[in-house]
């Protein structure tokens, strides 16, 4: 397991040697995109946080930690917590490469598990898999129970095993998505959120939104609860059925749609009055968030299996959460409506 090395400041690029030789390579362009998105999102969230205090500045700010890893690459973690609007918000980028064990490859590509487990046709056992992975990932947990949590993640992945090596072949793919996790159903907000996702998808392919919306509903499924984590959005993974340039542009457009999808909602809901009961329900829903991330999320699993930076991996978890024994909201209540929606996903637009 590699341990990261803290750095006083992030380098201009985490690519080095032949990795960074071409500034127009998919790797270099994707790194530039995710670092720009990180800066844009953090600046906007700080503006909302600062503007929440008597209309002026003085809100909570992001703390930045830069790190590198001996095997190649590094990342930048930015975290804001204890604010007036945002209880916790994290926006991280990572650009890592090297070799990973076969079990980590299986976490990244579950459908390839059999090939990696058995190796080549001759039965030779698979060895470590050369890889490149870069992504931006964010989770935003607001203070107000009527303001939804939002998550987004966009990533690019390559494996580089030689053609005659057992296990993983040469591959590249894109993955990611943007999804919303409210504690209360506010249709105006959810429809706006989904409308932005659909508009972005439709620029590329009219089949993307219905396909990726269903994928999102299916992916963020808490199996042991029989319910979804939230009200969805879009999600895709292992996407390489278009040319690389098209998908790079698609991932960029998706990442750039995050702020238009979310900021209008947070501006409407950050100052809505709420009760202790509203807050307790939000804490219970955050408990579901924790359960999904620790048990089912592929990004969390991959990070843990590749010896990733633990603070960055677990930064998606809320500051506080709650579990009550056998809690059941009253049928017909606003809390029940949220739970019913998580059990029976709906079409919003």
């Amino acid at each position: 397991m590699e341990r990261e090395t803290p750095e006083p400041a992030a380098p201009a690029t985490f690519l080095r040697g032949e990795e960074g030789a071409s500034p127009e390579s998919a790797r270099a362009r994707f790194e530039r995109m995710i670092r720009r998105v990180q800066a844009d999102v953090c600046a906007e969230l700080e503006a909302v946080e600062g503007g929440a205090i008597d209309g002026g500045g003085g809100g909570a700010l992001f703390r930045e930690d830069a790190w590198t890893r001996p095997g190649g690459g590094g990342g930048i973690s930015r975290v804001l917590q204890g604010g007036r609007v945002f209880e916790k918000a994290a926006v991280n980028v990572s650009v890592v490469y090297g070799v990973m064990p076969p079990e980590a490859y299986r976490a990244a590509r579950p459908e390839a598990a059999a090939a990696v487990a058995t190796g080549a046709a001759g039965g030779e056992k698979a060895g470590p898999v050369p890889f490149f992975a870069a992504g931006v990932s964010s989770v935003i947990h607001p203070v107000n129970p009527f303001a939804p949590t939002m998550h987004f993640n966009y990533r690019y992945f390559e494996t580089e095993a030689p053609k005659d090596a057992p296990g993983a072949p040469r591959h590249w793919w894109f993955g990611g998505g943007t999804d919303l996790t409210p504690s209360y159903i506010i249709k105006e907000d959810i429809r706006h959120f989904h409308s932005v996702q659909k508009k972005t998808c439709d620029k590329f392919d009219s089949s993307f939104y219905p396909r990726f919306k269903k994928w999102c509903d299916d992916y963020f499924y808490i199996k042991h609860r029989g319910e979804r984590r939230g009200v969805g959005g879009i999600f895709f993974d292992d996407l390489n059925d278009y040319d690389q340039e098209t998908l790079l542009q698609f991932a960029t457009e998706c990442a750039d749609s995050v702020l238009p999808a979310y900021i209008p909602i947070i501006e409407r809901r950050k100052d809505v009055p709420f009760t202790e009961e509203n807050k307790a329900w939000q804490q219970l829903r955050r408990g579901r968030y924790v359960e999904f991330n620790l048990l089912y999320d592929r990004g969390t699993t991959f990070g843990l299996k590749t010896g990733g930076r633990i603070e960055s991996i677990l930064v998606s978890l809320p500051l506080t959460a709650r579990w009550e024994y056998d809690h059941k909201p009253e049928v017909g209540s606003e809390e029940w409506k949220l739970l019913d929606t998580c059990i029976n996903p709906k079409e919003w637009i």
Side-chain angles (χ1 to χ4, degrees), residues 272-286:
V272 173
F274 60 87
T275 66
E276 290 184 8
E277 288 75 19
N278 298 144
K279 193 68 179 175
W281 173 247
Q282 180 196 49
Q283 298 295 292
L284 287 169
R285 296 311 304 174
R286 285 181 175 172

Side-chain angles (χ1 to χ4, degrees), residues 114-321:
V116 176
T118 58
E124 183 181 351
K125 187 177 179 181
V129 179
F131 79 101
F132 171 89
V136 57
S137 181
S138 174
V139 179
I140 303 165
H141 295 292
V143 172
N144 196 303
F146 294 103
T149 284
M150 186 193 68
H151 157 262
F152 75 90
N153 174 285
Y154 291 98
R155 56 193 177 274
Y156 174 65
F157 209 106
E158 293 180 5
T159 58
E160 302 180 290
K163 291 182 180 179
D164 58 349
R170 292 177 181 268
H171 277 304
W172 62 261
W173 66 93
F174 291 85
T178 307
D179 64 281
L180 200 67
T181 306
S183 298
Y184 289 93
I185 297 296
I186 303 176
K187 291 181 180 178
E188 173 191 9
D189 295 347
I190 301 171
R191 286 171 178 159
H192 166 77
F193 184 82
H194 277 268
S195 293
V196 173
Q197 310 311 313
K198 184 178 187 302
K199 182 179 179 180
T200 302
C201 288
D202 285 352
K203 292 180 182 179
F204 293 85
D205 190 321
S206 60
S207 72
F208 274 8
Y209 173 74
R211 175 184 168 193
F212 298 157
K213 191 268 184 188
K214 183 181 185 303
W215 201 338
C216 188
D217 288 337
D218 292 343
Y219 177 77
F220 291 104
Y221 181 64
I222 309 171
K223 298 176 185 177
H224 60 279
R225 297 283 189 180
E227 63 190 66
R228 277 75 187 170
R229 191 176 73 177
V231 297
I234 59 171
F235 178 84
F236 57 90
D237 211 350
D238 307 322
L239 196 64
N240 61 4
D241 50 358
Y242 286 71
D243 65 272
Q244 192 177 62
E245 178 64 24
T246 295
L247 293 180
L248 177 58
Q249 290 301 317
F250 176 60
T252 300
E253 292 261 359
C254 287
D256 285 337
S257 74
V258 165
L259 292 174
Y262 187 61
I263 294 301
I265 298 173
I266 201 72
E267 291 284 12
R268 285 196 293 265
R269 306 304 165 196
K270 62 185 175 63
D271 296 319
V272 173
F274 60 87
T275 66
E276 290 184 8
E277 288 75 19
N278 298 144
K279 193 68 179 175
W281 173 247
Q282 180 196 49
Q283 298 295 292
L284 287 169
R285 296 311 304 174
R286 285 181 175 172
R288 299 291 204 267
Y289 207 95
V290 171
E291 290 176 24
F292 176 85
N293 279 30
L294 292 183
L295 293 175
Y296 303 116
D297 184 68
R298 280 172 66 173
T300 301
T301 301
F302 175 77
L304 294 174
K305 289 184 180 297
T306 55
R309 183 174 185 264
I310 194 66
E311 290 298 329
S312 299
I313 296 168
L314 299 184
V315 76
S316 65
L317 303 183
L319 275 185
T320 58

